[in-house]
Structure formats: C-alpha cells, structure tokens
Amino acid sequence: MISTMLALLLSLLPLTLAADGSEDTCICNLLERPEVLKKKERARWMVHSLNYGVLSTISTRLPDSPPFGNIYSFVDGDCESSSGTPYFYGTYLDQSFKDMEMNPIASFTLTEASLPSVCSGTPLKACTAQSGRGDPEMPVCARLTLTGKLVEVTGSEYDSAKSALLHRHPVMMYWPTDHDWVIAKLEIEDIWFIDYFGGASILDVGEYFDVDLFPSPERL
C-alpha cells in the first residue's frame, strides 16, 4: 500500500512543473469544435474531447433516494476513435457504483466550461464569467446530459476501455490495487443538449451514434 501511494505521489510531481502549461504534453490532439447548431456533431465532440463530468445516480444511502452527483473521469475511446459511449473506471467502494448495484439508472452531464482541463483546451468566452460576457449557464456554453443505464463491462470491451482510460488518464495506473477496480459504461437512452438560445434539444440516440468524428478518406 505504501509503495502504491509513493508511486502515485511521484507521478504527481511533474504537475507542479507544468502548472503554466509550458512543459505540458498533450496526450490527444483536440479535434476542431463543430459549428454552432450542428448539435449531434457537437454532442459527440464533447463526449470524445472532454475528460470529466458529473455522474448522477439514484442514492442508496440517503432517505427517499434522491439523485446523487459525483465527478467522474471518462473516455469514449482512445485518441483516434470515438464510440460515443462514456466509460468509467470505478470501484464498488465508491458511492456511485454502490448505487449502480441497486439501480442502474444514471445520467452523465458535461459542459464546455470544463474544456480548459483538456490539454490544448482554451477557455471559451461564452463559458467564462470573468469575461463579463459569458457564464457556464449561458446557452451558448454547450451543456449535454446523457441518461440511461450504468452497467459493468467485461471481456474484450473491458480490455479496450481500460486501455483507453489508462492512456488518456495515466495517473489511474497508480491508483491502489486493492480497490478491485471495474469499468462501467452508460447505455444511452436519452440525450438532452443545449448550445444556443431558444431552449434545449432532445437528440435522436441513433443519429447521435451515426456521427463519425474520424471519417475515412473515401468519405471526405
């Protein structure tokens, strides 16, 4: 346990040297942001490009089972592939996974305001309150909520998801080995999305998955 924590602390040391981004190296190149009103494309871009969001489950700990939100890192594939499905690296020691055991219904919320946490991501004025013209709650600062069922994955799906998670979130490989880590995915059943004035849109799930962020040369 001590050796695991020491490895974790050592892995964090470079962060103090790269706080200003001067020595930071991008794991993945950030794809170009789709144009406004290309809603399905931008939703898929957010799911592929952003690296964390709020995972909400039905609480098994609190009376009356209210929603419980928890920050979770995720991927939808490696740097050069996008499935559109969020995958999470978690443990049944954590409340979100405890909730999943009793009730798999969950939602996952993303915001463009989190873009600066992604390497090469620059703050959008529309999302930045300090700019005097924006705010994370502004409609043009895109927000996305995916709702469905949170399910554990196994086999080859587990292997490919773990590979992508450890590549895009490398500190995870130093997390304690005695936590019995598992991987879950959100099976999407509903997509709520807003990126402009006039109210939110409910995107068609099939059309969302039809978007190809990495089209082959023959399709360009």
Side-chain angles (χ1 to χ4, degrees):
M1 182 68 176
I2 294 176
S3 60
T4 300
M5 295 308 297
L6 179 61
L8 175 60
L9 290 172
L10 290 173
S11 74
L12 294 175
L13 286 177
L15 297 180
T16 62
L17 302 176
D20 62 354
S22 58
E23 298 184 32
D24 203 8
T25 301
C26 295
I27 295 174
C28 298
N29 293 322
L30 186 63
L31 298 179
E32 184 177 353
R33 184 171 176 251
E35 298 176 7
V36 174
L37 302 182
K38 286 192 172 181
K39 298 180 182 296
K40 297 184 294 293
E41 290 80 0
R42 184 169 291 187
R44 282 292 301 272
W45 174 82
M46 290 176 68
V47 172
H48 181 68
S49 302
L50 301 181
N51 56 19
Y52 75 91
V54 178
L55 180 64
S56 298
T57 52
I58 305 301
S59 178
T60 56
R61 181 181 64 87
L62 298 171
D64 301 323
S65 302
F68 171 75
N70 198 0
I71 294 292
Y72 254 89
S73 299
F74 76 104
V75 298
D76 82 325
D78 59 30
C79 292
E80 297 182 356
S81 65
S82 167
S83 69
T85 296
Y87 288 86
F88 309 95
Y89 194 54
T91 167
Y92 287 103
L93 298 174
D94 183 74
Q95 188 61 48
S96 298
F97 277 66
K98 290 179 181 179
D99 293 344
M100 180 184 75
E101 281 191 293
M102 298 297 295
N103 188 338
I105 294 174
S107 65
F108 189 52
T109 299
L110 302 175
T111 170
E112 281 188 316
S114 70
L115 188 61
S117 73
V118 180
C119 183
S120 299
T122 54
L124 300 172
K125 288 184 178 180
C127 299
T128 308
Q130 292 92 324
S131 70
R133 297 190 299 170
D135 192 90
E137 201 173 335
M138 283 281 286
V140 290
C141 180
R143 284 172 279 151
L144 172 68
T145 297
L146 309 171
T147 302
K149 291 184 175 65
L150 195 61
V151 298
E152 186 177 340
V153 301
T154 58
S156 60
E157 186 176 17
Y158 170 92
D159 294 337
S160 59
K162 183 178 180 180
S163 176
L165 281 159
L166 297 187
H167 177 67
R168 298 182 66 176
H169 299 273
V171 74
M172 288 180 175
M173 69 180 69
Y174 300 105
W175 288 358
T177 56
D178 60 354
H179 281 28
D180 296 324
W181 299 99
V182 297
I183 294 175
K185 67 177 177 180
L186 184 66
E187 294 183 337
I188 301 170
E189 298 175 359
D190 183 80
I191 303 173
W192 182 97
F193 182 72
I194 185 167
D195 70 340
Y196 203 68
F197 301 100
S201 299
I202 306 303
L203 305 184
D204 181 271
V205 175
E207 293 177 357
Y208 164 86
F209 279 115
D210 284 342
V211 172
D212 189 354
L213 294 182
F214 297 92
S216 61
E218 303 84 54
R219 297 180 57 186
L220 296 176

